Amino acid sequence: VTVVSMPQSLWYNNETIAKIHAAMFKSIVERTPNAKLVLTWRQLDSFEKAKKLYPFADNRLVPDMAFQIGPTLRHFGHFPGKRGTKPKTVDIHFLLRSDKESVLQNPKLAASMIIDPILRAHKNKTGQSLTYIIKDWESRREYYDVNKGRTFDYATRLEGAVSLMSGSRVIVSDRLHASILAFITFKPHVMIEQSYGKIKHTRAVAFNVSEDCRDAEALRYAQVKSLEEGVHKAIEFLEKYGL
């Protein structure tokens, strides 16, 4: 039997636990007749670490599978939202996580302390105040029915995610797959790195094989070090691309 994993990142904050888990995996493989374990990794640093932790497995470096969504999106398009309601158009969507991988800790608090003061000093191309939303993945339920009774209905969940993002002119996010969806739909996006470099390292595996993919200017993306820098870059994108 051959078990193949989807491309993942490998990160432990406790090396002892990492070794205990590796021993458990090895024991399972050794107890299973004719077993083969193929582990795929979307980050180079994860791949190198995995070869040391799991020498009994076939470790491979593979781009994140979300990059393969591209051709599928041609069939989906940009969805109008649940019951035909189009998502409200805003200038900037801050798609920010609030879990332990976040470096922002409290995105809602960041709005009043960082986002609001910066945006109040700028206007959009029609002279109106800049608009924004702060919504994470769970808000996709507002834009598409993700509960059709099928637990693993990933196509519907993808539709909800694209609907969530489709109403904004620029995306600012610390989520890997938000950055990938923005990339393959050619939406200007600004990336704020999460706690262990997952976004930068995962995109590098996919982009380092193509000079064109690394052309951030042509493909309308940027990576920044802080939310404050991200707000300023999003405003720059609105002005640069006439959005």
Side-chain angles (χ1 to χ4, degrees):
V1 60
T2 299
V3 177
V4 182
S5 73
M6 300 287 278
Q8 292 292 324
S9 301
L10 176 60
W11 184 81
Y12 279 92
N13 60 5
N14 186 311
E15 290 301 316
T16 299
I17 293 178
K19 292 176 181 177
I20 291 173
H21 287 172
M24 291 170 56
F25 297 155
K26 182 179 180 181
S27 175
I28 293 171
V29 172
E30 290 177 341
R31 295 198 313 267
T32 306
N34 302 315
K36 182 179 181 180
L37 180 61
V38 180
L39 301 176
T40 63
W41 307 100
R42 61 191 179 190
Q43 296 179 209
L44 181 58
D45 56 343
S46 295
F47 172 62
E48 296 296 343
K49 185 173 183 178
K51 288 192 294 185
K52 297 177 181 178
L53 271 176
Y54 317 122
F56 50 86
D58 179 358
N59 292 282
R60 304 188 186 190
L61 185 64
V62 178
D64 190 276
M65 294 304 292
F67 286 107
Q68 305 303 314
I69 294 173
T72 306
L73 286 180
R74 288 201 298 268
H75 300 289
F76 287 156
H78 283 62
F79 310 106
K82 187 185 292 186
R83 300 186 184 90
T85 302
K86 184 178 180 180
K88 181 180 178 181
T89 299
V90 296
D91 294 302
I92 307 170
H93 178 178
F94 294 92
L95 203 162
L96 303 172
R97 65 194 315 144
S98 56
D99 58 15
K100 61 183 180 182
E101 289 189 28
S102 171
V103 297
L104 302 175
Q105 303 303 320
N106 189 331
K108 299 295 184 182
L109 181 62
S112 60
M113 297 181 63
I114 299 174
I115 299 174
D116 285 337
I118 297 174
L119 294 187
R120 277 199 296 266
H122 294 81
K123 304 291 183 182
N124 62 21
K125 64 180 181 180
T126 63
Q128 303 297 313
S129 298
L130 293 176
T131 57
Y132 75 92
I133 55 174
I134 301 178
K135 292 187 176 182
D136 201 2
W137 283 138
E138 66 270 10
S139 294
R140 71 188 186 278
R141 299 173 184 272
E142 300 173 16
Y143 300 96
Y144 209 86
D145 186 3
V146 297
N147 291 310
K148 293 184 176 180
R150 288 173 287 181
T151 304
F152 298 108
D153 187 357
Y154 288 115
T156 300
R157 294 175 186 275
L158 173 60
E159 293 171 4
V162 176
S163 293
L164 171 64
M165 296 173 62
S166 67
S168 56
R169 296 185 172 95
V170 178
I171 298 287
V172 177
S173 185
D174 56 359
R175 283 199 174 275
L176 168 64
H177 291 114
S179 83
I180 295 176
L181 275 181
F183 175 79
I184 61 182
T185 55
F186 198 53
K187 184 180 289 290
H189 58 289
V190 181
M191 298 164 286
I192 305 170
E193 190 55 83
Q194 50 77 259
S195 60
Y196 58 91
K198 178 167 63 177
I199 300 174
K200 175 179 66 179
H201 293 307
T202 298
R203 287 173 65 116
V205 169
F207 291 0
N208 283 352
V209 297
S210 169
E211 185 176 341
D212 291 333
C213 287
R214 297 195 300 274
D215 189 344
E217 183 75 17
L219 295 175
R220 309 197 297 182
Y221 66 81
Q223 182 138 12
V224 298
K225 296 180 180 179
S226 67
L227 178 58
E228 181 177 2
E229 187 181 353
V231 178
H232 285 294
K233 180 60 69 172
I235 295 171
E236 178 186 321
F237 278 1
L238 288 168
E239 296 171 350
K240 177 186 292 187
Y241 302 121
L243 301 172

